[in-house]
Each structure stands twice: as C-alpha cells, then as structure tokens.
C-alpha cells in the first residue's frame, strides 16, 4: 500500500514484478542487448530557448534562442527579442509547432521538459497546435537565483511570468497540461489566473488524497534510489529496468534532464550507492571473510568513486517542506477552475472522494489509462496524445489533422 501511494507524489516508479526494488540487485536476462544511449532533444522539439529574466527593477535583457532554425521561431518571434525584465532568471523552454493554440507542458518532480519529448512529437502529428515545455525552477537546465524556493505560489508565478515575457498582452490561447507535481502547479497557476488566455486545463496522475497519504513515507522511497550513476546510459538503463519509465525511447531522451555530472569529488558518506549496486550481469556468490572482505570493500569503493560521474540534478528530499503546499486543497482548487478540465489517471483507485463527486456531477472529463506507470505520458505517449487531442477537438480549441480520428470517451 505504501509503495502504491508513492506513484501519486513525485515522479516515481511502479513496483517491479516479483517485489524487486530499485535498490535490489537485478540480473539481466539472456537475449539481445538493448540500446540505452541518450537521444537528442532536437529529434522531438524544434527549438530550445535559454530565457534570462531578472528582477522587475532591472534593465531590459535579451532572450537567446539556441539551435534554432532560420528566420522566425515557432513562438512567432525573431531569434532575438528584448522585453521588460521579470522575476526569475535563465529558464529553459522547448517548443514545436507554428500555429494553433499553445500546449503549455509542466513536468513532474525531479523530471524536466524532456519528459514530454515523445509526447510532443505525437501530439503535433494529431492536431494543429504549438507546444511549449518548460524546465521548472530547480529542474533540468533552468537556473534561478533562489533555486530552493519551490513553493507552489512561486512556481505558479514563474509560469505566468514566462508566458508574459514570451507574449506580453497578446498571448495566444493556451491549454495547460501538468504531470504529478507539474499538475499541481498547473492547477495553482490556473486558479491564480496567471495565464489569462487559458482555454483548458489537464492534470495527469495526481490527486490530493493519495498524494497527501504518501508524504510520510516519501523520504524512505527517495533514499532507496541510487545516488549516482557511472554514465547517462546507466541512468537510462536503471530507469527502464526499475520501471520508473516503461518506454525505453522516452527514457533515452528524458533521463538526460534528470541527471548531471557530479560537481564535487565523490567522497561523501553514502556516495558509493551507485548504479553498480542495482543492475549487474554476473556476480560471484561466494564471499570471503576477514581481511579479504575488508580489502575487497576498499577496492570496490575506490572503483565506484572513480566511475560514478552522474547524480540527480535536484535533491528531492530537500524539497519536503513544500510538498504539503503543492497538494493540500488541490481537489477543491482543481474543481474551482472555470475552464474545461481533463484528468488522466493510471488507475481509478487514485480518485479521491471530492473528485469522485465532482466527476459524477460532470465538472471535468476523466479518462483512465491502464497498464501505465506513474509517468503516464512517457509510458504511453500515443494514448495520452490521443486523449488530449480529443479533449481539445471536442471543445473546439483546435482542429484535427488529416488521418486522426477522434473517439470521444463516455466520461
């Protein structure tokens, strides 16, 4: 039960078959070796923007577009623009599409905008839309002056200020979609009217009841994860084999946004808990005793320190003081938003009482996507894209592209 509750808080993973945990040793089965090499973001997004924004009383600054095509960006502006400064600094956004409403995508805790990569490629083939995926503060490549302030209020303001910086008073129609923590931030952003041109709101696999129930045991779950990885490939391999991300293609593009090169020598206590403990091909069963055991342990520690080059970009355990604020009162806040709403869940058991009543009263559309882990949009990007595309066409926010057949759900 405790393990299941974790699925609705931060971007965690489902339990492994047979009770195998992320900290346990897993043997690779026989057969062809799978490719765990990273995939580039440019295979899924058209542009990446490095947006530097400062305090309100600062001078005007520039938006720098990196690796962008010639002429005009999909956001509708030339490759360098000057705007009035805003509150945060150096945010990273990825975008695709040139016309239609904007799909504003907010990732889950510990993840990055790259978690939406495969979904973006699929949704852009289904409907006319523009996609804007943001690295939230403290996540991905975004840099802010106060990266420790991950309160719902601050992150919701960040989202609004980014939209204001990009579009000013002429913001296009926007449909905001958030997963897990990002779903909570999307609700807070909508409720505070930080995005005045908001057309619709979508939340993926997070509800107040199960999220609040999971808080007490979340620290234990975070401690069970490997602290370091020998390479990005090893991080990708762990994410797939542990079940955190069930879609290997998505893992290959998104895990690079979750880990970074270690900035300090790997000599702190506990640093030896690396990916080498979690996934192995072969291991000798015999263990020597006495001095030989001690010698082997020292050699292993030296080897780990030399090879463990990557760690998590954000220490989620240190964000604990904000968890309650992300999720408490979320159901009522979601129901209070006046725009059309969509709730996508990996299982119907996630629905709490307040949302159950709201759904029966027709206050939002709900769809359950079974056989998915918590990272629903990564595990089943085509199913999620189909659900969101259908939601947008149903409410006449956009038009379907040729070949896409909308199947409207009953709820």
């Amino acid at each position: 039960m405790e393990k299941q509750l974790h699925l609705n808080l931060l971007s965690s993973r489902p339990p492994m078959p047979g009770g195998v945990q992320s900290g346990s040793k897993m043997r690779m089965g026989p057969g062809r070796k799978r490719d765990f090499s990273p995939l580039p973001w440019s295979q899924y997004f058209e542009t990446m923007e490095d947006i530097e924004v400062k305090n309100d009383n600062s001078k005007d600054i520039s938006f720098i577009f990196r690796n962008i095509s010639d002429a005009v960006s999909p956001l509708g502006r030339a490759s360098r623009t000057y705007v009035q400064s805003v509150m945060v600094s150096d945010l990273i956004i990825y975008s695709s599409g040139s016309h239609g409403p904007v799909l504003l995508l907010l990732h889950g805790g510990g993840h990055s905008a790259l978690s939406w990569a495969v979904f973006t490629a699929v949704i852009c083939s289904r409907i006319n839309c523009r996609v804007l995926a943001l690295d939230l503060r403290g996540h991905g490549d975004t840099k802010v002056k106060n990266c420790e302030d991950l309160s719902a209020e601050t992150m919701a303001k960040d989202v609004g200020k980014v939209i204001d910086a990009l579009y000013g008073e002429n913001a296009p129609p926007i449909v905001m979609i958030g997963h897990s923590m990002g779903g909570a931030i999307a609700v807070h952003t909508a409720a505070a009217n930080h995005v005045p041109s908001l057309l619709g709101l979508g939340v993926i696999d997070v509800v107040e009841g199960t999220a609040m129930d999971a808080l007490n045991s979340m620290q234990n779950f975070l401690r069970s994860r490997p602290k370091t990885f020998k390479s990005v490939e090893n991080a990708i391999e762990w994410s797939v084999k542990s079940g955190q991300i069930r879609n290997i293609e998505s893992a290959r593009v998104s895990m690079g946004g979750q880990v970074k090169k270690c900035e300090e020598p790997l000599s702190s206590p506990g640093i030896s808990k690396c990916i080498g403990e979690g996934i192995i091909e072969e291991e000798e069963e015999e263990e020597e005793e006495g001095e030989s055991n001690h010698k082997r342990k020292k050699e292993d520690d030296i080897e780990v320190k030399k090879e463990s080059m990557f760690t998590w970009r954000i220490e989620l355990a240190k964000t604990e003081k904000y968890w309650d604020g992300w999720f408490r009162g979320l159901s009522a806040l979601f129901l209070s938003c006046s725009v059309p709403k969509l709730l996508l869940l990996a299982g119907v058991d996630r629905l709490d009482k307040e949302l159950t009543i709201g759904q029966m009263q027709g206050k939002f559309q709900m769809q359950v996507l079974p056989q998915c882990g918590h990272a629903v949009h990564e595990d089943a990007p085509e199913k999620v894209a189909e659900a969101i595309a259908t939601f947008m066409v149903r409410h006449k926010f956009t038009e379907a592209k040729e070949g896409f057949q909308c199947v409207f759900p009953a709820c």
Side-chain angles (χ1 to χ4, degrees), residues 155-169:
M155 289 199 286
K157 286 181 178 178
D158 285 351
V159 175
K161 288 175 182 281
V162 166
I163 295 301
D164 183 61
L166 289 171
Y167 304 111
E169 297 180 356

Side-chain angles (χ1 to χ4, degrees), residues 54-164:
K54 299 181 181 178
N55 293 328
D56 293 331
N57 58 359
S58 302
K59 295 180 179 179
D60 291 350
I61 46 83
S62 64
F63 282 42
I64 303 171
F65 295 74
R66 295 187 292 180
N67 203 13
I68 194 168
S69 58
D70 295 335
V72 178
S73 80
L75 297 177
R77 297 179 285 108
S79 62
R80 184 177 287 272
T81 306
Y82 292 88
V83 299
Q84 183 63 37
S85 304
V86 290
M87 196 170 172
V88 295
S89 63
D90 202 15
L91 285 112
I92 301 296
I93 59 175
Y94 299 81
S95 58
S96 287
S98 58
H99 64 283
V102 169
L103 263 176
L104 177 58
L105 308 177
L106 306 182
H107 60 78
H111 281 226
S112 76
L114 296 179
S115 70
W116 298 100
V118 180
F119 164 84
T120 294
V122 177
I123 194 75
C124 287
S125 70
R126 301 288 196 267
I127 56 174
N128 295 315
C129 67
R130 288 170 280 179
V131 170
L132 185 65
L134 170 67
D135 278 349
L136 294 168
R137 64 167 49 216
H139 293 76
D141 288 316
T142 282
K143 300 292 187 297
V144 295
K145 290 184 177 179
N146 186 7
C147 61
E148 295 182 357
D149 182 5
L150 296 181
S151 66
E153 180 182 7
T154 296
M155 289 199 286
K157 286 181 178 178
D158 285 351
V159 175
K161 288 175 182 281
V162 166
I163 295 301
D164 183 61

Side-chain angles (χ1 to χ4, degrees), residues 284-300:
E284 295 185 1
E285 299 294 335
E286 300 83 3
E287 290 189 2
E288 299 179 20
E289 298 179 359
E291 293 184 3
S292 60
N293 270 346
H294 182 66
K295 180 179 178 182
R296 179 185 299 173
K297 185 179 186 302
K298 289 181 68 175
E299 290 174 349
D300 289 345

